[in-house]
């Protein structure tokens, strides 16, 4: 590696957008989709399950236990396990990441609803909200900060976890790491790391901005 | 009218929170449920809007058993105010107040206009309308809670210790505000508190509940203070119920003396030779300034130069004998200064006059109590039932 600089700008330049599969921009795009689709799917699945756990308290303990087990599974063997069913496509990565999302977001939904002060819930009941309306207009809006906090965790970890998919050729920017390793050429790895971190920061920042926008009523901001 | 017809509430764990409660809450008045913690006040209240259903017996609202009405529909016609206000933290004040009108399907404009009107009605600056609840003080939040409960103009208002969490001064002003509103609106109000002073101040009728959910007594406040039905009620009313009862004796009829006031601009010479030890000095606007001791007057000059002792006043025609007595106790002279609504001194009520009034009040109290049993507790059994049945 002597004489080889850490970053070769001309390589980045040449490979940024070649129009072919494997160019940096297409990997970035792939990475974004594979990281964020599981976040969305995770939320869509976790929301009803979480609400069911709130409605039927006894469901929560077993569900939370199961989700902890899911979360503890290492990603690589799960990919391998899925391979026969889903092949070498992005679904092999997206499915387990969605499960991780669900595992984190179910407690977030349950805690979010639990964060609604009892007197607020009682007064909603007393004013004549139907249960569904109360959920949509009072409980869910108040749960937003807690759910969004969970969403930020899921999004960032998902962005980082996608790279593991590179081991089956579906790693988005993670593919740059295998590439660098195979060719003993550090530039792609550096590009991969920088882009992944930047992407994580960007998405986290966007979610934070969304939270500020959605919850101008939060005391913590002390804007009064 | 709200009727409790032999209502019992037994919780699944066996706790009997309300035990065979029968009483009527008349339309257009304030009925207070008062009693120690855990005596079933909240449980009783919540059986009216079906947040809790009775185990036995019926609760009737204008003759209709509430359990036959769909809960959301029932509740939209019953205002509800609780201790922590229970405002929705994520909605602006105006939207909080407009909640029930919106549930009832009013259009947005109309609901908001109504909300603004109510904010003014409960004495809030409409500039607060676009704030969020966390930006308001506890007292302001409580006013918003009242406005929100009144928004759809429900005939019935349930209030569960609505003013317990604010400081005494704010509490007093919220109580006055409620009485002022009630004088305009004539709602049927059930008000829960554990504070007997609040109960006696606000209630047209006061129901004293005992732990275990028994109704110990139901009476108007003056009768309650004069004639507690049993030892429990007597103890609950506290040691100074005799003094408190004076709140219901009007101070109107107290004889005034107009020769005990002097303008501050008067010459001290005019007061020399008087047998009265104290004179009330009145400022140019007619308001009292303090008491001047006639023994220590300077040789010449006006009352401007005389040091004045503190004083107390009561508003004649509005305040009670209790307020007059309080005013007298705040003055070294032992006399009370009577003022009119604008604070101008009308005259002085002397100790002797107060003394006569107190004796009369005491006689009246014994007469109401029906018998003179000084120093002895009232009779035990029988009284409670009798009181509950409205005699
Ligand atoms: N959900 C419940 N399950 C079992 N017992 C209950 C329940 N709610 C209230 N109780 C019991 O019923 C009794 C009456 O309760 P309630 O809340 O009506 O009292 P309260 O008069 O409002 O008291 P406080 O002044 O403390 O608010 C208490 O002994 C209480 O512990
Ligand atoms: Mg209570």
């Amino acid at each position: 590696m002597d004489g080889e600089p850490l970053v070769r700008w001309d390589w980045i330049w040449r490979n940024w957008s070649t129009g072919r599969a494997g160019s940096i921009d297409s990997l970035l795009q792939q990475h974004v989709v594979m990281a964020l689709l599981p976040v969305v799917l995770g939320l869509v699945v976790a929301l009803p399950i979480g609400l069911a756990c709130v409605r039927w308290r006894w469901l929560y303990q077993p569900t939370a236990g199961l989700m902890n087990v899911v979360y503890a599974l290492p990603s690589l063997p799960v990919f391998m396990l899925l391979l026969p069913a889903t092949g070498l496509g992005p679904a092999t990565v997206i499915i387990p990441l969605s499960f991780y999302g669900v595992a984190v977001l179910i407690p977030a939904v349950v805690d979010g609803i639990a964060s609604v002060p009892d007197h607020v819930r009682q007064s909603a009941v007393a004013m004549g909200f139907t249960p569904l309306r109360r959920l949509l207009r009072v409980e869910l809006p108040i749960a937003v900060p807690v759910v969004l906090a969970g969403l930020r965790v899921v999004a960032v970890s998902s962005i980082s976890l996608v790279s593991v998919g590179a081991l089956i050729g579906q790693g988005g920017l993670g593919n740059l790491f295998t590439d660098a390793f195979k060719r003993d050429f550090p530039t792609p790895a550096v590009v991969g790391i920088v882009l992944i971190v930047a992407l994580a920061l960007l998405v986290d920042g966007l979610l934070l901005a969304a939270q500020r926008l959605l919850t101008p009523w939060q005391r913590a901001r002390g804007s009064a | 009218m709200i009727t409790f017809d032999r209502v019992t509430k037994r919780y699944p764990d066996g706790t009997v929170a309300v035990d065979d409660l029968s009483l009527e809450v008349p339309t257009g008045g304030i009925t207070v449920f008062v009693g120690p913690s855990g005596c079933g006040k909240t449980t009783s209240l919540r059986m009216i809007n079906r947040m809790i259903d009775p185990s036995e017996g019926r609760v009737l609202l204008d003759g209709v058993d509430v359990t036959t009405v769909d809960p959301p529909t029932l509740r939209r016609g019953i205002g509800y105010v609780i201790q922590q206000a229970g405002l929705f933290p994520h909605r602006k004040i105006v939207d909080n107040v407009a909640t029930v009108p919106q549930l009832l399907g009013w259009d947005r404009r109309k609901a908001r206009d109504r909300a603004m009107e109510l904010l003014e009605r409960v004495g809030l600056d409409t500039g607060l309308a676009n704030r969020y609840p966390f930006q308001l003080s506890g007292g302001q939040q409580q006013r918003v809670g009242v406005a929100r409960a009144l928004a759809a103009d429900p005939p019935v208002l349930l209030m569960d210790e609505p003013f317990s969490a604010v400081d005494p001064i704010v509490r007093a002003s919220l109580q006055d505000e409620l009485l002022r509103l009630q004088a305009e609106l004539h709602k049927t109000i059930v008000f829960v508190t554990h504070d007997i002073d609040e109960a006696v101040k606000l209630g047209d009728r006061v129901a004293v509940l005992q732990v275990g959910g028994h109704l110990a007594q139901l009476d108007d406040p003056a009768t309650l203070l004069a004639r507690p039905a049993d030892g429990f009620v007597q103890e609950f009313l506290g040691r100074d119920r005799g003094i408190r009862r004076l709140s219901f004796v009007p101070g109107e009829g107290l004889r005034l003396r107009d020769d005990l006031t002097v303008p501050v601009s008067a010459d001290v010479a005019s007061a020399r030779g008087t047998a009265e030890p104290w004179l009330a000095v009145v400022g140019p606007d007619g308001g009292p300034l303090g008491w001047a001791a006639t023994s220590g007057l300077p040789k010449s000059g006006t009352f401007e130069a005389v040091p004045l002792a503190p004083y107390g006043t009561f508003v004649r025609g509005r305040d009670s004998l209790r307020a007059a007595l309080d005013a007298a106790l705040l003055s070294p002279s032992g006399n009370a200064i009577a003022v009119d609504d604008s604070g101008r001194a009308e005259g002085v009520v002397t100790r002797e006059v107060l003394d006569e009034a107190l004796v009369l009040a005491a006689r009246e109290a014994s007469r109401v109590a029906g018998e003179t049993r000084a120093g002895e507790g009232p009779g035990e059994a029988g009284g409670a039932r009798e009181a509950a049945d409205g005699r």
Side-chain angles (χ1 to χ4, degrees), chain B residues 227-280:
Chain B
R227 189 180 171 178
D230 58 21
F232 165 76
V233 178
Q234 189 179 33
E235 188 165 330
F236 189 75
L237 292 174
R239 295 199 66 83
D240 44 358
R241 79 183 155 90
I243 300 274
R244 266 202 235 108
R245 235 185 54 76
L246 295 179
S247 302
F248 298 95
V249 181
E252 222 156 7
L254 294 169
R255 222 168 345 104
L256 289 191
R257 278 182 63 178
D258 53 10
D259 58 329
L260 295 181
T261 51
V262 289
V264 68
S265 55
D267 199 298
V268 291
S270 65
R272 195 153 302 124
T274 174
E276 296 297 336
W278 296 93
L279 290 176

Side-chain angles (χ1 to χ4, degrees), chain B residues 98-115:
Chain B
T99 302
V100 181
Q102 279 180 347
L103 285 175
L104 289 169
W106 296 21
D107 80 70
R108 204 177 148 71
R109 252 223 92 70
K110 193 176 154 211
R112 282 179 77 96
D113 286 350
R114 172 76 178 152

Side-chain angles (χ1 to χ4, degrees), chain B residues 38 41-43 160-161 192:
Chain B
K41 304 182 293 291
T42 298
T43 304
D160 194 348
E161 307 203 22
V192 163

Side-chain angles (χ1 to χ4, degrees), chain B residues 98 105 107 142 166 177 183-184 191 214 232 310 325 337 343 347:
Chain B
D107 80 70
Q142 220 37 267
V166 292
E177 196 75 34
E184 293 169 22
F191 190 106
H214 306 278
F232 165 76
L325 182 63
I337 303 178

